[in-house]
Structures are given as structure tokens and as C-alpha cells.
Amino acid sequence: HAHGRGLAELWFDAGVKQSSEFVQRVNDFVRDRLPQTATCHSCANMKDAHAVSWMGNELTEMPYPNWNANDGTCSHAGTPAESGYGVPDGTRWCPAHCDAVLRRHFWFWNNATYNETGNLNTVSRLLAMHLTSVGRGCNMILDMSPTDTGLLQQNDVDTYAGFGKGIDVLYRKSLVATASGMARGESVVTLPVAPAIVSRGAIEMRENMTEGQAIANYTIEYCSPSLLRDSTKDGLISCQQWKLLPTHNEKHITIGNRRIHYFADDAVTLAIIRVTVGTLQLASGEFALPHIRSVTVYDWSDPKLDRLLDDILNVN
């Protein structure tokens, strides 16, 4: 349930596998009664459902690349993980969602396991799970189980709250530079950054997919202040030598709703970030037009962030 927006998702665990007549009845209910914004999990056999699909594990390790398009039954669902999720030339829009548990690996409360603290994911671990799910274009779903009193355990609540604060610190308060509002067809985004030595940080990219998912590869480069070149002829600033930004969290293929890489191998002096994208080739032989929604850079150099980044820095 989305706060203030009514039902967000109807979830049929493992799908609706009864008779075709019953499936049709559920399809009609989903079509007629659910809000247009609601999604339906494991509803690939319902032609009128806004289907979303499981991606093959409950660890929020989203298979990559991640294409939101799929075949008619959403069968390209991340197994094996090496094949990625979805297909670039799919006929049905079927985004993945990444479901996970707050406690490893318990979906429902019981007195024995929930009095333990060792199975409770730490805030640092949850932030790494966010990176490998949301940071690969997936929707992260995290459970929270009430006790037999109908209430929530305080340490569960505190961990959830800490996770939210960690997201705020890493992806809002650590902002260095951002660019948005790029025109459709624009394949290069150059983002000036206040010159600073960044020992570790992150870059977040988002794709506008109102016309479909088109970006199929990209490069991320940076320019140091010492390599900037000011052209007196036109007043533009260019770079004498672009260098690839050393990033982690999978390869550079799809972007989708949200793509996050972190960098932490070497201290880099950032003056400009440049993102260049390539797109799918259509059946006509032409290439699809890219539509970059935004590019944002975050600085995680502050040692005070160490406790939040312990698990993120282990993501390859």
C-alpha cells in the first residue's frame, strides 16, 4: 500500500495457477478494480495486469543487465542470474522487483528467531542491498513482520529507521552535482563538479522510459582540474584527457529507472564528469533515441560515513 495513494501492488505468491476460468476472473478483477497505478506480482498469465515479476532470489542481488521489457509471459526472470533479466526487444512491460527480509531468512515473526539479534540485517547491510537492487534498476521490497500482539519489535523499527536515515545521508546530504532535464536524443551529459579530491563517492543515472527503455551501454569519464582547457574562441571549457571513472556494482549496460555505481579505488580529483550512452538498434536498422533523465554525483569521502559504507564497499 502506497501512503496516500491506495493500493500499490497486488501480490500472488508463486502466481495464480488454477483453471483458466478462475485466472480470467482474477484478470477481470485486476483490470476493473485495481487503480491504474497498481502493479500485480506473478500475474504474467493475465493479459490485462500491470505485471511485475520476481527476479530469482530473495537477497536483492538483481541480475544484470536489467531490461524492463520481457516476453509475453515474463519468462526471462533472472534465472540463471548470468543471463540478466528481461529482453531488450520484449513485447511486454514487466519490471522486476527485489524482495528481501529484514531478518535472515525469516518472513514471519516467531518468538525464538525474533529474540535473536544476529539474524537482523544491519543498516550497513541494508544499504548494500539497496545498491544491488535499486542501484541496478529494481524496485526493492523489504518485509517487516508484526509480533503476535500485532505490534512491531522496537529493534526492527529502529533498524528500518536507520536504513532510511542512511539513504538520506548517502543520496541527499552528500550531493556534489546534478544535471536533469536533458532532451530526448541527447547522448552525452557533461556535469561540472566543484573541484574536490573525492576518495570515494557514487554516481547515479536515471533514464526517462516513457517511450521505452533504450540505453544499452554507457561510459563514465572524469576530468581533473589540471587537465581543463579554456577555449578563448568560444568561451567553452574542455578536457585535454578524459579518464575512465573506476566504478563498482556490475558493468555499464542498462540504466533503466535508476543506476548507481560507487567508486573508491583511488582518490580522484573531479572537475567534470562525462556520461556517454549508446542505444538499441531497432528492426529498421536505426538506433533508438536515448533519453537521460538525470545524472547525479555524491561525495562519500567523509570518514564519518565509514559505518554506513562497510558492506557497500564489498560490492564488486
Side-chain angles (χ1 to χ4, degrees):
H1 190 278
H3 179 67
R5 299 181 184 178
L7 184 69
E9 180 173 308
L10 181 61
W11 185 336
F12 294 103
D13 200 24
V16 179
K17 300 178 180 178
Q18 287 78 4
S19 67
S20 58
E21 291 80 7
F22 182 77
V23 171
Q24 185 61 49
R25 286 173 58 195
V26 178
N27 175 87
D28 295 346
F29 172 84
V30 169
R31 179 194 63 209
D32 299 336
R33 300 297 183 88
L34 261 62
Q36 284 296 304
T37 53
T39 57
C40 192
H41 179 260
S42 296
C43 299
N45 58 345
M46 303 177 203
K47 62 182 180 63
D48 295 320
H50 297 161
V52 294
S53 179
W54 187 49
M55 35 57 85
N57 67 75
E58 294 181 348
L59 304 172
T60 65
E61 294 176 358
M62 181 63 200
Y64 190 81
N66 177 14
W67 295 101
N68 288 275
N70 216 307
D71 61 18
T73 58
C74 304
S75 66
H76 296 272
T79 51
E82 294 77 13
S83 65
Y85 177 93
V87 287
D89 57 349
T91 58
R92 185 174 189 180
W93 196 252
C94 189
H97 82 191
C98 297
D99 55 328
V101 290
L102 190 63
R103 290 176 176 270
R104 304 179 305 273
H105 194 90
F106 302 99
W107 281 100
F108 304 104
W109 181 88
N110 70 66
N111 187 58
T113 56
Y114 272 64
N115 282 328
E116 295 287 333
T117 57
N119 59 29
L120 181 60
N121 278 311
T122 63
V123 168
S124 172
R125 180 63 198 141
L126 291 171
L127 289 168
M129 292 162 63
H130 176 274
L131 179 73
T132 59
S133 56
V134 174
R136 297 178 189 171
C138 189
N139 182 36
M140 180 180 179
I141 297 178
L142 185 63
D143 92 308
M144 196 177 204
S145 301
T147 71
D148 55 356
T149 66
L151 302 176
L152 298 168
Q153 287 196 178
Q154 189 59 48
N155 54 353
D156 286 12
V157 172
D158 292 343
T159 302
Y160 238 108
F163 177 37
K165 290 178 181 177
I167 292 291
D168 185 58
V169 169
L170 295 183
Y171 298 107
R172 190 178 69 85
K173 294 181 180 177
S174 301
L175 180 97
V176 174
T178 187
S180 60
M182 279 67 75
R184 186 167 181 239
E186 190 173 344
S187 61
V188 180
V189 176
T190 302
L191 181 60
V193 178
I197 296 176
V198 181
S199 59
R200 64 189 179 196
I203 181 167
E204 173 192 287
M205 298 161 290
R206 306 193 73 173
E207 182 177 358
N208 187 323
M209 297 186 291
T210 54
E211 300 292 333
Q213 187 177 0
I215 296 173
N217 59 79
Y218 57 92
T219 58
I220 306 171
E221 302 165 296
Y222 75 97
C223 187
S224 299
S226 61
L227 295 174
L228 291 178
R229 180 172 54 200
D230 190 352
S231 173
T232 56
K233 181 178 180 180
D234 51 21
L236 298 177
I237 295 177
S238 59
C239 182
Q240 298 179 52
Q241 182 183 1
W242 291 99
K243 297 180 181 180
L244 290 176
L245 190 67
T247 62
H248 298 267
N249 193 21
E250 284 288 355
K251 301 175 182 178
H252 295 182
I253 307 174
T254 55
I255 291 180
N257 182 57
R258 196 172 179 189
R259 187 74 177 101
I260 304 171
H261 292 282
Y262 79 88
F263 51 94
D265 290 340
D266 301 293
V268 296
T269 307
L270 299 176
I272 305 176
I273 288 281
R274 181 171 72 178
V275 176
T276 307
V277 304
T279 59
L280 294 172
Q281 188 170 17
L282 306 175
S284 64
E286 298 178 331
F287 285 87
L289 292 176
H291 198 170
I292 305 169
R293 181 175 170 184
S294 63
V295 177
T296 306
V297 179
Y298 304 96
D299 183 359
W300 294 350
S301 302
D302 191 339
K304 294 179 181 178
L305 300 180
D306 286 355
R307 62 183 180 82
L308 297 178
L309 297 173
D310 281 345
D311 288 278
I312 282 180
L313 298 179
N314 289 323
V315 175
N316 292 321

